[in-house]
């Protein structure tokens, strides 16, 4: 734990960026974007995490001060939920566009999908 | 009930109408009322945004999560937000009126209007948002609507452009979210004012803040299409239908790019030397490289898209110069002059670039091509469109007395007074290059003899398109002369918000 998990999350982010930048297949690029999305979501969850922390649900009769001392931060979790929903929308749009690209070009190779000039 | 209670409707009304349209489209006869409702919605928004000018509106706490609580959604309707809201809704109204005539050749027009309102509402929400995460969410809603609109025609090239835009835009958004996450981890707040207040205590030059700033600046510079993050824009903006090109170049890159950059740099992180240097470098690079890439283009809309990169460079350069002056505690008047020029140019660019994109759409529809070499002689065949196109070209080229001249002059003077004579000279040179590029447009598209069958038989554009272009042309001609009243009511309050730097949002803390 500690710094290691942040390093691993950063590595995940780098893997996603590598896939988006270096790969030429439309599907692999989409997977790369998803990996970036997951890395960012994971980072946000880590921001709110504390080792050994409990779920941020206030039990009946539990004093608020004790709750604040032991629970993990719920706000990043709410952010991640929103971020996941946005990611779902983006993914649906990406896949829909990939299907339309295939219908028009009959290929998933970005080297051949380049009718627009630089 | 005062007008300030209606502020949330700037965002809520278009978003709600967008969802209503989807329902209406599946009711018999419902599709017919969609365009009219869309125009009414945007017009109502423009009236509301205009009515807010000069009205003192405090922070608005959605759902009553107000004083003392730090978690609620807060809307800040300050000078800068009002200025952006007026600009956004003005361009949106003109574009949607133009679209009434332009979109007739497309199917599923209701979908266009739903996405258009989604984008407009999200941009209104973006400029009002008082906390970083809401800013991100609205940024994403506007972006998703714009991805779909770029690919609206579903032709091969349009899909290719939309896909590139989608991938790059999503990566940019991911970096923005990382930056917001780091700021939250450091400060424990998302509210912009509270983040600024906490950062002021812990210092804004630590490595973690710099990392957050780098992530935010990188992501937002991509949204603003600053060189070297500009690769998507010349593909995406020309591929969209003309009214959407006008919206994307006219306001989207400003709201989700330049506005967000300015808000984060000035009001959240506080202007400091490294950030100012980055902004100036991005601005100067975009300004110069954008115009050099534009000069060689023969596709009218692509040429305009490269000019958007270049003109946004002016705005970001002016913001950077102001941040540079403020960072060392320099003369507030000089910083204010740079900001005034930058914001005025932002407004003017919204007017003349939308006008140019709309007239390029009218030319494309009537002539059947976007290639300048296949046009010609259109000044006689399409007098209204040509006149409006000329007004836009003279404005962007900075010819007096059109509005672009005044804002560029103020930026150049501001740069010189801020101690950057080389950048001022560069800005003047770029203005000259812009003029050359638009002389080419005039020469090939409007003057001379028709170079193709389409140009020889072209007829004047429909009335609604002409009206939309004429409104923007009047703003371009009158904008320069109306600088004093515009400045007093719109630009000065907006400039004050940025001038106050990290202090600006302190007084609106919950």
């Amino acid at each position: 734990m500690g710094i290691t998990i942040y390093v691993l999350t950063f590595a995940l982010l780098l893997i996603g960026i590598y896939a988006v930048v270096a790969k030429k297949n439309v599907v692999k690029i989409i997977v790369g974007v998803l990996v970036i999305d997951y890395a960012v979501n994971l980072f946000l969850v880590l921001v709110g995490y504390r080792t050994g922390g409990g779920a941020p649900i206030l039990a009946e009769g539990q004093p608020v001060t004790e709750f604040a001392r032991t629970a993990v931060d719920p706000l990043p979790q709410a952010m991640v939920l929103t971020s996941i929903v946005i990611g779902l929308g983006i993914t649906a749009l990406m896949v829909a566009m990939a299907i339309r690209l295939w219908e028009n070009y009959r290929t998933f190779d970005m080297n051949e999908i380049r009718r627009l000039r630089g | 009930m005062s007008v300030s209670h209606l502020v949330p409707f700037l965002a809520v009304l278009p978003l709600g109408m967008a969802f209503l349209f989807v329902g209406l489209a599946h009711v018999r006869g419902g599709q017919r009322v969609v365009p009219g409702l869309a125009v009414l919605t945007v017009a109502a928004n423009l009236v509301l945004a205009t009515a807010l000018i000069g009205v003192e509106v405090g922070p608005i706490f959605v759902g009553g999560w107000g004083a003392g609580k730090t978690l609620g959604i807060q809307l800040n309707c300050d000078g800068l937000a009002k200025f952006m809201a007026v600009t956004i809704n003005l361009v949106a109204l003109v574009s949607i009126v133009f679209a009434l005539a332009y979109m007739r050749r497309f199917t599923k027009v209701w979908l266009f209007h739903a996405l258009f309102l989604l984008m407009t509402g999200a941009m209104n929400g973006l400029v009002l948002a008082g906390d970083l995460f809401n800013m991100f969410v609205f940024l994403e809603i506007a972006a998703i609507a714009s991805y779909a609109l770029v690919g609206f025609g579903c032709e091969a090239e349009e899909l290719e452009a939309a896909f590139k835009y989608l991938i790059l835009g999503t990566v940019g958004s991911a970096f923005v979210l990382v930056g917001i996450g780091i700021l939250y981890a450091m400060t424990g707040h998302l509210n912009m004012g509270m983040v600024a207040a906490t950062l002021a205590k812990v210092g804004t030059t630590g490595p973690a803040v710099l990392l957050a700033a780098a992530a935010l600046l990188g992501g937002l510079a991509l949204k603003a299409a600053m060189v070297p993050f500009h690769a998507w824009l010349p593909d995406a903006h020309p591929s969209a239908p003309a009214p959407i090109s006008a919206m994307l170049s006219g306001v989207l890159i400003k709201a989700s790019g330049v506005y967000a950059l300015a808000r984060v740099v000035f009001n959240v992180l506080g202007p400091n030397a490294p950030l100012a240097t980055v902004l100036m470098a991005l601005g100067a690079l975009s300004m110069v490289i954008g115009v050099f890439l534009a000069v060689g283009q023969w596709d009218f809309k692509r040429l305009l898209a490269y000019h958007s990169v270049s003109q946004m460079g002016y705005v970001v350069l002016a913001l950077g110069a102001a941040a540079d002056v403020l960072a060392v505690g320099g003369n507030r008047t000089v910083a204010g002059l740079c900001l005034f020029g930058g914001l005025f140019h932002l407004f003017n660019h919204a007017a003349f670039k939308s006008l140019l994109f709309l007239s390029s759409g009218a030319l494309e529809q009537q002539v059947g091509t976007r290639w300048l070499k296949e046009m010609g002689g259109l000044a006689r065949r399409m007098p209204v469109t040509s006149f409006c196109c000329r007004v836009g070209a003279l404005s962007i080229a900075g010819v007096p007395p059109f509005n672009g001249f005044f804002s560029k002059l103020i930026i150049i003077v501001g740069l010189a007074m801020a101690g950057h004579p080389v950048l001022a000279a560069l800005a003047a040179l770029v203005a000259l290059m812009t003029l050359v590029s638009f002389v080419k447009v005039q020469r090939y598209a409007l003057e001379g003899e028709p170079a193709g069958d389409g140009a020889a038989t072209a007829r004047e554009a429909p009335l609604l398109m002409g009206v939309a272009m004429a409104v923007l042309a009047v703003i371009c001609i009158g904008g320069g002369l109306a600088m004093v009243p515009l400045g007093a009511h719109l630009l000065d309050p907006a400039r004050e918000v940025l001038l106050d730097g990290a202090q600006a949002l302190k007084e609106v803390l919950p």
Side-chain angles (χ1 to χ4, degrees), chain A residues 1-117:
Chain A
M1 284 302 283
I3 194 82
T4 323
I5 193 142
Y6 281 97
V7 174
L8 286 176
T9 309
F10 187 63
L12 197 61
L13 182 71
L14 289 184
I15 291 170
I17 291 173
Y18 167 77
V20 171
V21 174
K23 292 294 169 187
K24 291 295 173 193
N25 186 309
V26 168
V27 178
K28 287 183 183 168
I29 292 174
I30 292 176
V31 172
V33 173
L34 294 182
V35 172
I36 293 178
D37 240 23
Y38 284 131
V40 175
N41 289 344
L42 197 54
F43 171 69
L44 287 180
V45 172
L46 283 176
V47 161
Y49 187 73
R50 63 158 58 123
T51 314
I57 304 165
L58 184 61
E60 210 169 324
Q62 188 185 15
V64 177
T65 45
E66 186 204 320
F67 171 76
R69 207 176 59 245
T70 56
V72 301
D73 186 353
L75 191 62
Q77 301 187 358
M79 284 159 67
V80 166
L81 276 181
T82 315
S83 165
I84 289 173
V85 173
I86 293 173
L88 176 74
I90 299 258
T91 313
L93 195 58
M94 277 194 297
V95 174
M97 274 187 195
I99 293 171
R100 288 298 190 107
L101 275 175
W102 171 268
E103 285 172 359
N104 276 291
Y105 289 90
R106 291 281 148 198
T107 175
F108 273 149
D109 189 346
M110 280 310 266
N111 286 325
E112 290 170 39
I113 305 179
R114 54 184 318 160
R115 289 189 200 166
L116 295 165
R117 300 152 311 104

Side-chain angles (χ1 to χ4, degrees), chain B residues 271-323:
Chain B
N272 59 36
L275 293 179
T277 314
V278 171
L279 279 187
M280 284 203 294
L282 284 173
L285 269 177
S286 308
M287 190 174 78
V288 175
I289 293 178
V291 80
F292 273 104
L293 289 169
V295 166
Q297 297 297 324
W298 288 101
D299 178 338
F300 190 12
K301 285 179 91 175
R302 211 175 167 80
L303 180 144
L304 293 178
Y306 275 116
H307 277 296
S308 287
V309 175
S310 170
Q311 301 296 313
M312 280 302 95
Y314 273 99
V315 178
V316 174
L317 178 60
L319 292 177

Side-chain angles (χ1 to χ4, degrees), chain B residues 211-236:
Chain B
L211 186 62
L216 279 167
L217 252 61
L220 294 174
L222 197 146
K223 298 272 177 192
M226 291 287 107
V227 173
F229 307 107
H230 69 290
W232 58 272
L233 185 138
D235 289 343

